[in-house]
Amino acid sequence: MFDATLFRLAAAAALLAGAMRMVVTFTSGMLTANQAELVYLLVDLLAVFALMGIYFRHRQRLGFLGLAAFAVALSGAASIVGPDGTLFGASLYGVGSILLLTGLAGLGALMLRVHGASRLAPTLWIAAWLCVLASPTFALLAQVGGFLYGLGLFIAGTALGSGLPGGDSKRPLP
């Protein structure tokens, strides 16, 4: 399979995960517990594939710190897939969400440093991370952070899926 095909599939995952995450921000109260769990399962699984595509598309320009940020984000995303639970008294979803957004904020900071033309997705991930960090003080910020995370995924998916020659080109970062 060609790299361009894999990146387009990752782009589709990012678009779908981002759109679903944005919509669920406003509709989660309308879902039963099982429906919400299923929607978040799909969002989280799609986000894992999206994250892989986003990282691998730009890995050469992100260096070792990019790999470390990717590993943190992927670990967080992987830990929130499936039913919520606790480990040593800590919510796996809460810890996983913080890890995911911390890794994405790190990737975002590196993407901004690389001077890609499109800076919106990385900026949104950093803003989402800041919102979630501040959410214990202002509960509404958790929802805002989730929406910004989804919007960042959607925008990154748009950039990832367009005009791919295959391999790691000099295209702007999402």
Side-chain angles (χ1 to χ4, degrees):
M1 183 176 289
F2 293 106
D3 284 352
T5 303
L6 291 173
F7 292 134
R8 284 190 182 97
L9 289 171
L15 289 167
L16 192 53
M20 289 175 68
R21 184 60 186 91
M22 288 185 290
V23 168
V24 81
T25 299
F26 302 107
T27 61
S28 62
M30 297 179 226
L31 303 174
T32 67
N34 285 337
Q35 290 169 333
E37 198 68 45
L38 179 60
V39 168
Y40 280 111
L41 171 66
L42 291 172
V43 169
D44 298 339
L45 284 172
L46 289 167
V48 166
F49 294 117
L51 181 60
M52 285 191 244
I54 292 164
Y55 171 72
F56 286 116
R57 177 79 171 108
H58 304 291
R59 69 190 177 278
Q60 291 178 337
R61 290 179 276 170
L62 297 175
F64 179 76
L65 288 176
L67 175 62
F70 168 70
V72 169
L74 188 62
S75 297
S79 71
I80 62 177
V81 173
D84 299 336
T86 58
L87 184 63
F88 303 115
S91 161
L92 289 178
Y93 186 83
V95 172
S97 295
I98 292 294
L99 283 174
L100 170 61
L101 290 174
T102 299
L104 279 176
L107 279 174
L110 290 168
M111 288 174 163
L112 291 174
R113 189 189 70 163
V114 172
H115 301 297
S118 175
R119 297 172 174 228
L120 188 53
T123 301
L124 289 168
W125 292 331
I126 293 168
W129 177 67
L130 292 172
C131 284
V132 170
L133 288 180
S135 68
T137 305
F138 303 104
L140 178 63
L141 287 178
Q143 288 183 298
V144 172
F147 182 84
L148 294 176
Y149 159 67
L151 183 57
L153 275 179
F154 189 86
I155 290 168
T158 301
L160 185 60
S162 62
L164 294 172
D168 190 19
S169 74
K170 299 299 179 194
R171 281 175 77 283
L173 293 167

